[in-house]
Each structure stands twice: as structure tokens, then as C-alpha cells.
Amino acid sequence: MSIEFNKVSYIYSEKTPFEYAALHDIDLLIKEKKMTAIIGATGSGKSTLVQHLNALLLPSGGKLKVLDFEIVAKEKATNLKALRSHVGLVFQFPEYQLFEETIMKDLCFGPKNFGASDEEAQKKAIHALKLVGLDESYLEKSPLDLSGGQKRRVAIAGILAMEPDILVLDEPTAGLDPQGAVQMMSLFKELNQKYAKTVLVVTHDMEHVLNYCDEVVVMKKGTIYAHTTVKEFFKDTSYLDELHILPPAIVRVRQMLNERGFHLPSDCYDMKQLCSAIAKEVKHHG
Amino acid sequence: MGNFVLGKYLPYDSIIHKMDPRAKILAMLLVLISIFIPAGYLGYAILAVVIVTTVLTAKLSLKFVWKSMKPMLFMLCFLLVVNIFAVKTGDVLIAFGNFEIYSDAVFNTIYIAVRLMLMIMVTTCLTATTKPLDLTLGIEDLLKPFKKVGVPAHEIAMMISIALRFIPTLIEETERIMKAQASRGVDLQEGKLKEKIMAILSLIVPLFVSAFQRAEDLANAMEARGYAPGQRRTRYKQLRFHFRDYMLLVCSAGLVAAVAVLALVL
């Protein structure tokens, strides 16, 4: 019951002058019930990778196992709809997928497509809307009248209403204000911990990776460059430089202090820990 | 949708790619005229040879051209059906009881099919070898003489170039929305009629919303940079006729004359 890529490759516009290989022989095992960040420069294949998870893109080579579903390249895939009900994929800027007259109808759209009755769908819709922090007074409003941030929440609620086991988010916080971004990431963490969902987040924000995720997958030019736990990942800053990744503020502070003569442990990742470590060292010398 | 090739520019390096867009547009019009001259089998044979040669000179593969004709196949089938019912002249080819298919119905369809195929090939030669922007520059220049009678040449060219510019964007957008809705369980291939209508609605509404949004943003961006349609403006890229462009025009005029003579003789 996990996600397993086995030598998966993907080529856009195969056999045309515009042919472009986006993924090369990807081997990847994503553990269940973890929150995994996928990072990498633009064009490194992150979006292509996540679109394989609910079979929107089918591999050009290799094979892929998601939950109980197996997708093998060049073989006709069956039961894609069932797979999609288990894997909820939230695209970049998901606001554009809203189309119904009322938010209620839009939230019911997903569950109904997967065979829920009207009553069930409405129940799921109300639950999902509460999860994203909007109250029931929104249900009869038009989704097109909301502000940008609210639209984003409703769009994500539209996926949550399907109650997927795996939630995949492609840059969910892009374009949100810092506070909105933090709320959004906390929501995903809650879904991961309280509802035991497997969460994958494509992101560029290292603070989010450090604060919310358990594991991190680094992509580079269509290959998996690294796959490790978050704590391990931010331990070695020279490695981050190599990837042109600016570490989170707290890691930078620790690193700068260490360069100037401090001896701070490399595994403290929150403000409190770091402060007490600094205080201890100052007292020791004073 | 990524395989949609009609009207796509292909960045190869051939003599036809280098020609002046104005010459290419005029040549295309001349060849289109010659396609409409009824010059019998020989006339179409000549035209076919000339057009295929042009396609190959432009380094386009015949497969690419064939692909760009595919969208027409449906229309041709429809035409064949209409012709079978409407045309009742010529010899009877096949008879099912009272229902008869006449030879003229089939010939008419083939005739139209050949013309359509040749037309598509010629226009593909133009659009595949000319960058959309060069094409609009050419159109603007060619429309200039009509400015005196009130044809807004620049505005038309600007509208065409904006429309062309947004075709790939809208196709990309459509793909994005299709994928997003597919994630929500939309199945465009299967399902009952009501579900299908819903599926199409879930695609069209967001597409319109974003297209209007884009149009508004673009209009604002243009105004913010001081765009005024009626203003005289200079151009970064100046079009210039070379020897090869004159040759192209002479050759295509020759083709029209040849086909016309052939039509008169027959």
C-alpha cells in the first residue's frame, strides 16, 4: 500500500520533432502515511512525476505501483477512475477548475463523479469546506465571487471532498500571502497526522519542507537526485549549496554561528532548541 | 492535443523558410486560385506535383502534412453521405432495393476531397514555414493599400497576431483543466449523455473564465504601455523582397496561367 516507481521514464510528444524526455528511469519508493516534499529546479520533472500518481500521464517506460493499482508502460491501463478516487491531485493554481454556480455544487462534483449519492456528496462537501477553514455560509455563494485565497481553499476542498487516501499537491502555496501559506501547510499536516493520509507536496519553500515534512525527494533534470529524511537533508549544508538551495533561516543561523566559533549541534531545528543551545554555550564561555 | 499539427510552425532551415512572408502569402493565393480552376485530371496532376515538390523543398515530411489533414476526414465522410443522398446523376454504381448510389456522387466527393487536400497542403506550406508574427507582418503590409478605403490594416494584423499568440496558450490551458477535472473523476470518453454534458461544461466554463481574464489583463498591459491603435509606428523588423521572392511570384503566376490555358483547351 505505498507508491513505487520502477524505472519509470516519460517522454512528451514522443516521435515528433518536439520530443522531450522529462523523466529518466525513476526508481522511487514513497512510504505510506508520511508527508513527503518534492523539490527541484523548474523543469526538473516534479509536475510530470506527480501527474503519474493518478495516471493522468502514463509512463513511456517502466512500471508504477500506486496502492493496489499497477500501471505498466505500453500496456492498456484499466480502472483509472478507481485509482483517481484514491489519489487526489491538486494542481498548481487549482482555482481555475471551479465551474459550478455554487460552492456546494462544485464541492459535490468530485464525490458524485465517483458514485456518491447526493446526500453523501453534500455531507462530504460540508466536511471538506470546514477542513479548509470556511464556514457553511459560503455553501450557496458562487465560487467565482471569492477572493484568490478563498478560491484556492474551495478548490482544495473540492479534492478533499473525494476523501482520497493519497493527497498530492503541486505548489499549493504559490501566490498566497505568508499567513495563508502557513495555514495551508498546517492543514496538510493535520490531514497527514489526524486522518492518516499520505501527503506529497511539490514546493520551493525550504521553511515548509523543514517545518511540515518528514521526507524529501530532490529532483534534478528528470532524475531522483536524493531521497532522504528532512532532518538528514538539512544537516549537511555544503550539499545544499551544491544544489543551489538556500537552507531555511534557522539552519543558516546555526551555520553562521558555527563558522564564527560556536559548536552548535547539527540536529536542532526549532527556535527554542537553538536558543537554549546558544545560551548554554555563551554561559560556558562567560 | 499536443499532436494537433494544423497551422503549426516548424523551425527548419530551407529556402522556403527564408522567403518573404508577403511573397509566400501572394503565392499561396495564386495557387489557391489555380486549384479552383477546373482543369481536369491533368491540371490536378500538375498541381499535385508542384505542391508536393514545394512541401519537400520546405523540408516538411509528407507524414506531417498528412497529419494536418486528419481533422478534415470527418468532414469528408459527412460530405460523402450528403452527396450520396443528394446527387442523382451519372450511372448507378450500387443499388440496395430502392436506394441507389450514383457515380457522380462518388466522383463529386473525390473531386472536393482532392481540392481540399491540395488547399490544406498549400496552406500548411505557408504556416509551417512562416513564423506567426512574420505572417501577420506580411498580412499588414499587404493590406496597406486598402487603408485608403478604410480597412484598418494595423488593427486587423494586431488582432490576428494576438489570436495566433493565444492558440497554444489556450490549448495548454484546456489540457490543464482537462487534467484537473479528470482528477475529480471526469471521464470524457465514457459515461451517459448527461455526464458527458457535465464533463464538457466543467471544461468550458473555466476556459471561458480564464480567457476573459487573460483578455482583460492583456488589454490593461497594452494600455499601460501606451498602446494606441491609430498611431503611426515604426517596426523593428523590416520586410524586404529578394530575388527568390520575385521568382516565387513569377512561378506561381505561371502556374495559374498554365492551369487556366489547360482549362480553356479542354
Side-chain angles (χ1 to χ4, degrees):
Chain A
M1 286 282 277
S2 55
I3 300 167
E4 208 180 324
F5 284 76
N6 204 331
K7 295 237 175 301
V8 169
S9 60
Y10 187 78
I11 303 167
Y12 281 103
S13 312
E14 207 172 353
K15 289 174 194 140
T16 71
F18 304 95
E19 189 172 286
Y20 172 71
L23 296 179
H24 308 276
D25 292 341
I26 298 276
D27 282 318
L28 181 65
L29 178 79
I30 290 168
K31 288 181 204 121
E32 224 188 334
K33 303 194 167 64
K34 292 266 185 202
M35 190 149 163
T36 305
I38 299 173
I39 61 173
T42 31
S44 58
K46 304 181 300 275
S47 294
T48 310
L49 183 81
V50 296
Q51 284 178 41
H52 279 81
L53 295 174
N54 69 351
L56 285 175
L57 296 180
L58 299 171
S60 309
K63 87 183 172 193
L64 168 68
K65 225 176 129 186
V66 182
L67 302 172
D68 297 328
F69 300 87
E70 198 169 50
I71 301 164
V72 183
K74 312 269 180 324
E75 273 179 33
K76 198 169 155 40
T78 51
N79 236 349
L80 294 185
K81 204 164 165 175
L83 170 62
R84 284 176 193 159
S85 73
H86 290 288
V87 182
L89 179 57
V90 178
F91 276 81
Q92 246 174 72
F93 302 106
E95 311 62 295
Y96 57 75
Q97 73 193 27
L98 302 169
F99 75 102
E100 280 280 17
E101 300 144 62
T102 67
I103 289 174
M104 176 58 118
K105 278 190 188 170
D106 208 278
L107 294 180
C108 290
F109 182 66
K112 272 193 192 166
N113 279 331
F114 292 119
S117 68
D118 283 4
E119 220 168 273
E120 277 171 344
Q122 286 180 6
K123 225 186 215 167
K124 288 179 179 183
I126 292 169
H127 180 65
L129 194 66
K130 278 185 185 154
L131 275 179
V132 297
L134 296 175
D135 58 64
E136 288 183 34
S137 68
Y138 283 92
L139 283 173
E140 294 308 313
K141 284 188 186 169
S142 161
L144 302 179
D145 289 339
L146 302 176
S147 73
Q150 287 171 329
K151 270 190 203 169
R152 174 86 48 102
R153 283 157 189 268
V154 171
I156 290 175
I159 301 292
L160 294 180
M162 292 155 32
E163 296 180 349
D165 304 319
I166 299 174
L167 186 63
V168 186
L169 305 124
D170 196 347
E171 293 189 42
T173 59
L176 289 185
D177 58 290
Q179 203 190 344
V182 165
Q183 284 171 0
M184 205 56 99
M185 291 306 292
S186 313
L187 165 68
F188 304 142
K189 188 81 202 168
E190 187 191 334
L191 287 168
N192 171 239
Q193 295 194 322
K194 202 164 140 196
Y195 296 90
K197 293 194 192 301
T198 309
V199 180
L200 277 103
V201 195
V202 174
T203 182
H204 286 292
D205 193 324
M206 292 307 132
E207 305 286 343
H208 291 167
V209 176
L210 176 64
N211 293 330
Y212 300 99
C213 298
D214 306 310
E215 299 213 345
V216 60
V217 173
V218 187
M219 292 197 69
K220 195 178 177 187
K221 290 181 185 154
T223 57
I224 303 291
Y225 189 76
H227 181 193
T228 153
T229 62
V230 166
K231 286 196 171 156
E232 202 60 42
F233 184 64
F234 288 117
K235 218 173 227 173
D236 185 7
T237 44
S238 60
Y239 181 65
L240 295 175
D241 287 342
E242 203 180 299
L243 288 164
H244 302 288
I245 290 171
L246 187 65
I250 199 151
V251 175
R252 288 211 305 279
V253 169
R254 188 188 70 209
Q255 182 191 2
M256 283 160 97
L257 286 171
N258 278 347
E259 275 166 16
R260 285 163 181 74
F262 277 79
H263 302 282
L264 300 169
S266 60
D267 61 344
C268 60
Y269 289 111
D270 69 62
M271 205 66 88
K272 255 188 192 160
Q273 266 181 25
L274 189 71
C275 286
S276 56
I278 294 171
K280 210 159 123 195
E281 198 134 316
V282 170
K283 265 184 207 152
H284 187 72
H285 285 276
Chain B
M1 202 82 62
N3 291 324
F4 192 78
V5 292
L6 187 65
K8 203 176 210 170
Y9 171 69
L10 289 183
Y12 295 130
D13 179 36
S14 78
I15 182 161
I16 297 186
H17 280 75
K18 285 184 201 133
M19 283 178 183
D20 190 301
R22 290 171 296 179
K24 281 194 268 187
I25 294 170
L26 287 175
M28 182 196 73
L29 290 175
L30 287 172
V31 178
L32 284 183
I33 291 171
S34 61
I35 290 174
F36 276 100
I37 298 173
Y41 296 116
L42 185 59
Y44 283 111
I46 293 173
L47 280 171
V49 169
V50 171
I51 291 171
V52 169
T53 318
T54 320
V55 167
L56 295 177
T57 322
K59 295 188 183 168
L60 305 174
S61 68
L62 288 174
K63 210 171 138 197
F64 172 80
V65 178
W66 171 244
K67 255 188 173 173
S68 59
M69 279 191 261
K70 264 189 190 158
M72 292 291 155
L73 283 179
F74 172 73
M75 211 182 94
L76 285 175
C77 292
F78 182 70
L79 200 72
L80 181 64
V81 172
V82 171
N83 270 342
I84 283 172
F85 282 104
V87 180
K88 298 283 176 201
T89 54
D91 309 319
V92 176
L93 280 184
I94 311 165
F96 305 101
N98 276 336
F99 184 73
E100 291 159 331
I101 296 175
Y102 291 85
S103 60
D104 277 10
V106 177
F107 280 127
N108 268 351
T109 313
I110 293 175
Y111 192 59
I112 295 172
V114 167
R115 276 181 169 181
L116 262 177
M117 277 163 70
L118 290 176
M119 278 164 62
I120 293 170
M121 280 167 94
V122 174
T123 37
T124 305
C125 273
L126 177 69
T127 53
T129 64
T130 320
K131 286 182 195 137
L133 269 180
D134 288 345
L135 206 58
T136 40
L137 284 185
I139 293 172
E140 187 177 350
D141 276 11
L142 288 174
L143 285 177
K144 251 184 198 157
F146 300 102
K147 236 181 178 168
K148 290 197 183 85
V149 288
V151 177
H154 169 73
E155 285 83 341
I156 290 177
M158 179 57 89
M159 284 194 294
I160 295 174
S161 58
I162 289 175
L164 288 175
R165 159 67 184 75
F166 278 97
I167 289 172
T169 313
L170 287 179
I171 289 178
E172 224 170 78
E173 191 93 7
T174 313
E175 269 177 357
R176 244 163 56 125
I177 298 170
M178 268 166 83
K179 278 183 182 168
Q181 305 297 27
S183 302
R184 294 212 278 166
V186 168
D187 198 334
L188 278 169
Q189 264 104 47
E190 287 157 44
K192 289 180 226 118
L193 185 67
K194 200 188 153 203
E195 284 168 17
K196 268 190 180 161
I197 292 173
M198 236 5 217
I200 291 169
L201 208 63
S202 75
L203 182 62
I204 286 177
V205 174
L207 197 59
F208 266 80
V209 170
S210 86
F212 278 103
Q213 188 62 49
R214 262 177 215 287
E216 206 178 317
D217 289 350
L218 181 68
N220 284 337
M222 284 168 82
E223 266 184 26
R225 281 184 272 176
Y227 176 78
Q231 226 58 266
R232 257 185 68 83
R233 46 206 313 131
T234 53
R235 210 187 257 168
Y236 171 64
K237 192 167 186 176
Q238 300 287 340
L239 297 177
R240 227 170 244 123
F241 260 68
H242 293 276
F243 177 67
R244 53 174 182 249
D245 303 311
Y246 291 113
M247 279 312 289
L248 178 68
L249 287 181
V250 169
C251 289
S252 10
L255 185 69
V256 178
V259 176
V261 167
L262 202 62
L264 287 178
V265 171
L266 287 173

